[in-house]
Every structure is written in C-alpha cells, then in structure tokens.
Amino acid sequence: MGHLIPPHGGKGLTCCLLEGAELEAEKKKAEGLKKISISPRVKGDLIMMGIGGFSPLTGFMAKADWKRGCEEFLLEDGTFWPIPVTLDASKEDADSVNTGEEIALYDPEGDEIMATMKVTEKYEMSEAEKTFECEKIFMGEGTATAEEFWKIAKDDHPGVQMVMNQKEINLAGPVKVLSESDYPTKYAGIYMRPEESRKIFEENGWTEVAALQLRNPMHRSHEYLCKIAIEVCDGVFIHSLVGNLKPGDIPAEVRVKCIDTLVKNYFVEDFVVQGGYPLDMRYAGPREGLLHATFRQNYGCSRMIIGRDHAGVGDFYGMFEAQTIFDKIPYSSMEDVCKVPGHALLCKPLKIDWTFYCHKCDGMASLRTCPHSKEDRVLLSGTMLRKGLSEGSEIPDHFGRDEVLEILREYYSGLTEKVEIKLHGAATGK
Ligand SMILES: [Zn+2]
C-alpha cells in the first residue's frame, strides 16, 4: 500500500459484496429465504457496505449502536460513526422472522434481491424513538427549540420525513451483498469502488487528496473550492452523488456531463479525478458532513471540503455548522473515547468560507479575502441556479461557465414537467 490515509475503523476496507462461486451460491440460497422489501435509502447503504464505502460497518445497526451513534457519534465498540445506518421493516414482516434466521433484502425498484442478512436483533422504532433520532440527527442551529424545529420539519425537511415514515421495527445483523444494482452499468466510468479510487490516487503518487461533495451542477463556487484544494493538496476527488435526490434536483448524468466539460476547459486534468457514489441524500447537514468525511476516508481522501451550508436543506442549519461540528465532536471527545487505533475519524475538514464572484476584486473571493460590500458580489448557489434555469430567466454573469450553462439550458428545455424550487435564506444571501 502507498501513503494514502487508511480506511476508517482500523480494519482495512470491509467489503460485504460476494463474488464468483460464493455469489452464485448465495443468490440461489436467497431465493428460498423470506423476502423483506427495502427502501431506496437502505439500498444505497447496502451497496456502500458491499464495496467498503461504509468500512468498518458490515451490517445494519443494533439498537445499542443506533442509540450511542445518535447520542455520542460512536458505535457501541467506541468507533466513530455519525449517522444511523438501519434497516426498517413492517411489524408483520418482523414478526414472521426469528432472531438467528436469514432473510433476503429485496429491492422493489430494480426487482432484485440485493443482499441476505442474518437477523441478530429486532427492535421497535416507536414514534418517540423516531422523534429522538430526528432531533439528534437533524436539529441544527437554524431552529432554537424542539417545538420550533418540529413546526417546520414535519412539512419541509425531507430527512425528517424519511425517518418518520420508516416502518415500525428495525432489523439488525450482518449482510452479504449480492449486487451493486445498475450503478456500474448506468454510471460506467463514474461509479467507483473505494479500491478503485485508491488505486488511481496511488498511481498518481498522491498522498493528500481532498474530496468535493457534489449534488448540484458545478458552478463557479465549486470550481473555486476545487482549485483552492488543488493548491494545498496533491489532487481533488470530485465525488458526485448518483443516488436519489428530491424532486427538482438535476439528474446525475447531466451533472457529470457538466463536470467533464468544466474539467476539460478550466482545470489541469492531472489534478482532478471524478467519481460517483450510490447513496441517497439524508439532508442531515453537519452530521452528514461528518458522514461524508467518514466514507471519503474509505475512498482514500484525507481532506473533506466543507463550504457553506454543507448537505443542508432549507434554513435548518447554521451556515457553517457543518464546519464547527468537526471541532466540537470528533477531535475533542475522541481522544478520550476512541482509544483503539483506527476508531477515530482521520479525514479532516478543509473549511472554506462563503465564496462568490466580486466585481471589485475582479475574481472569485470569500468573506475572508474580499473587503467589498454586498452590492459588488455575485452570490452563487445551486438552488438559485436551478431556479433561474427552471424558470428560463437570465443567469447573472459569472454565475457559471458558459459551456456548463449550455448543457443545463438544454436539459431544462427538454423538461415537460416543472417543479417549483423554493429559495431559502441562505440561497438568497440573507
Ligand atoms: Zn471584493
């Protein structure tokens, strides 16, 4: 192995995906097992466990891991982990399987058995427990009290809605993953396993690699963030979400095309690697920022770029809460708690302030480098860009590169159904 950061957890890449004869035998066995239907989120989590993206996780969380994770960002054994990775099932399904029994996890979307799992524990997710999870995971500085949080979260927070709509029982246990779904074919050349990105970084001779998380088309701010990272690291890994988004978001294939065009025209290609990962957004802001750093460590990245309102939605989180959480949680408490080598999170944040184009600076700048006033700045946000394009209005100068806007305009002109895009405080520069 080269000098890349080791995978999280101290156990190397833990991959639950079977191959060859073992895979064929398990597939055959799975046909005879009780089938439990899974949600798109669970499907993404399974693939990540399959390819080692969620190392050291090798199954869905037991109650003790879930609870300690919510409260302390740690698994029961003291390993850092910031977000629940759980499998929900209806009471009827849960009652029909015994602890110790093996089940098949079926994806209704792709009509495919994704994995088998040995059920080691069943635990109830009552309304109170779901509420507890939501308040721990999704309640940020954007709301002062739980009462205030719930008033808006019920209707406006897709992550909260996802948890509250989960079925009544969580099933825990180790998984054997049988498929990566259609990701390897649908996103050929983009979808990447951690062992693949690590190999590329090693061949490039890189040690310090920064990851850029992307779920929106790349605009000038993203480009600037990447270029800052390239200046201080060996290279940048532009890592796009190719799992599910919310209505109104732009499909992965269009976003990938935008990145290709941008890299070709505005980057030195030797310093950029593009990849995709199969997760759904959880919209957990700061907690998700930590999760992003955790799985990027598995992909071989030592730094995670965290800008303004990372993985946020609406106004639920403070603008830089996903940066400050790295100071509050892992590094202060982890030295005491994570005594076992590998248990602590090693991937560090690359914190970058609010960036924008400034007419007086005559270039990209941030709140740390530009002394001018609001009127001189072109505030950039993915939400504003999508809204402008969706409504066919003029996109302000310096917002995006012409080559990229061209691709996006073409995509929007082909849409028959329009989704209204809501602007929130952060997007409007309030
Ligand atoms: Zn300026």
Side-chain angles (χ1 to χ4, degrees):
M1 289 295 279
H3 303 292
L4 290 176
I5 195 167
H8 178 54
K11 296 173 183 166
L13 287 175
T14 56
C15 303
C16 306
L17 185 68
L18 300 184
E19 279 171 341
E22 217 184 342
L23 172 65
E24 290 316 312
E26 194 70 17
K27 270 185 173 171
K28 201 172 266 177
K29 191 176 88 183
E31 287 298 333
L33 300 175
K34 159 92 188 161
K35 288 188 186 63
I36 304 273
S37 282
I38 56 170
S39 66
R41 189 191 87 187
V42 165
K43 177 181 168 181
D45 291 351
L46 266 177
I47 300 173
M48 284 297 262
M49 287 192 270
I51 61 179
F54 271 179
S55 302
L57 298 190
T58 52
F60 289 102
M61 286 181 181
K63 187 163 189 182
D65 290 322
W66 167 78
K67 190 160 186 291
R68 195 171 188 201
C70 288
E71 280 171 342
E72 298 177 73
F73 301 75
L74 297 169
L75 302 176
E76 180 63 358
D77 73 357
T79 306
F80 174 79
W81 197 272
I83 256 175
V85 177
T86 52
L87 169 68
D88 64 319
S90 67
K91 192 166 181 315
E92 196 190 349
D93 275 343
D95 284 344
S96 72
V97 293
N98 296 313
T99 310
E101 200 178 319
E102 282 186 286
I103 54 172
L105 304 182
Y106 171 75
D107 165 35
E109 221 176 42
D111 185 26
E112 184 183 27
I113 295 175
M114 290 295 298
T116 61
M117 182 177 102
K118 186 171 183 175
V119 180
T120 52
E121 190 186 328
K122 306 191 259 184
Y123 54 99
E124 200 190 333
M125 282 296 278
S126 64
E127 204 71 2
E129 273 142 350
K130 288 179 185 173
T131 303
F132 163 81
E133 179 175 328
C134 286
E135 289 179 6
K136 287 289 177 193
I137 306 299
F138 301 110
M139 218 173 91
E141 288 166 3
T143 44
T145 61
E147 200 187 356
E148 201 184 306
F149 168 74
W150 281 107
K151 218 191 281 173
I152 44 175
K154 270 209 158 69
D155 293 326
D156 280 346
H157 197 302
V160 167
Q161 288 163 342
M162 217 185 288
V163 172
M164 295 313 285
N165 290 334
Q166 275 174 208
K167 295 169 212 155
E168 311 91 298
I169 310 289
N170 277 353
L171 301 177
V175 295
K176 289 177 182 167
V177 179
L178 309 178
S179 169
E180 290 164 277
S181 188
D182 58 358
Y183 286 109
T185 46
K186 192 170 173 192
Y187 299 108
I190 293 299
Y191 171 78
M192 219 178 257
R193 297 178 181 181
E195 60 181 19
E196 293 172 297
S197 57
R198 285 178 166 271
K199 188 160 173 271
I200 296 170
F201 301 160
E202 275 173 13
E203 283 167 0
N204 287 352
W206 294 356
T207 303
E208 296 286 344
V209 187
L212 177 79
Q213 150 76 25
L214 263 192
R215 62 168 153 143
N216 272 318
M218 244 177 125
H219 53 61
R220 291 290 299 275
S221 272
H222 298 128
E223 181 188 331
Y224 186 53
L225 298 183
C226 279
K227 288 181 172 171
I228 293 171
I230 291 170
E231 294 289 357
V232 296
C233 297
D234 297 319
V236 72
F237 185 40
I238 302 180
H239 208 198
S240 297
L241 179 142
V242 293
N244 295 300
L245 298 148
K246 52 185 169 49
D249 284 342
I250 293 175
E253 44 275 36
V254 180
R255 287 181 279 125
V256 165
K257 206 169 153 195
C258 292
I259 299 168
D260 282 340
T261 305
L262 194 66
V263 171
K264 206 173 103 218
N265 287 290
Y266 296 96
F267 281 84
V268 180
E269 292 186 50
D270 297 353
F271 298 105
V272 185
V273 174
Q274 193 189 165
Y277 68 98
L279 283 183
D280 284 12
M281 276 299 292
R282 282 169 156 83
Y283 301 99
R287 287 264 192 168
E288 198 157 354
L290 292 171
L291 180 73
H292 285 161
T294 307
F295 72 76
R296 263 45 174 261
Q297 186 180 326
N298 291 329
Y299 276 88
C301 301
S302 54
R303 304 296 294 269
M304 179 73 220
I305 299 173
I306 307 275
R308 179 183 61 84
D309 197 28
H310 186 95
V313 61
D315 294 329
F316 284 95
Y317 308 111
M319 295 265 266
F320 297 102
E321 205 178 342
Q323 295 184 349
T324 51
I325 198 167
F326 279 85
D327 306 322
K328 282 185 203 152
I329 309 297
Y331 302 110
S332 52
S333 66
M334 276 168 94
E335 276 174 25
D336 303 328
V337 184
C338 298
K339 294 201 170 79
V340 178
H343 276 192
L345 175 67
L346 301 178
C347 177
K348 292 188 168 61
L350 182 59
K351 301 174 185 172
I352 304 180
D353 210 306
W354 191 344
T355 60
F356 41 77
Y357 183 89
C358 171
H359 289 288
K360 282 220 173 107
C361 290
D362 193 17
M364 293 298 296
S366 82
L367 291 180
R368 290 166 72 93
T369 59
C370 163
H372 306 117
S373 67
K374 233 165 86 176
E375 290 69 40
D376 301 312
R377 298 169 181 161
V378 182
L379 299 173
L380 313 160
S381 96
T383 317
M384 280 165 73
L385 179 60
R386 283 185 290 118
K387 188 172 169 64
L389 287 163
S390 158
E391 291 165 0
S393 48
E394 263 313 286
I395 304 301
D397 283 347
H398 308 293
F399 210 100
R401 299 290 190 182
D402 289 343
E403 296 88 339
V404 172
L405 292 178
E406 196 51 47
I407 296 168
L408 293 171
R409 286 205 182 91
E410 196 187 311
Y411 161 71
Y412 275 102
S413 70
L415 282 185
T416 46
E417 228 173 286
K418 295 222 184 319
V419 175
E420 193 206 341
I421 294 158
K422 286 187 201 165
L423 284 186
H424 296 271
T428 52
K430 251 182 356 201

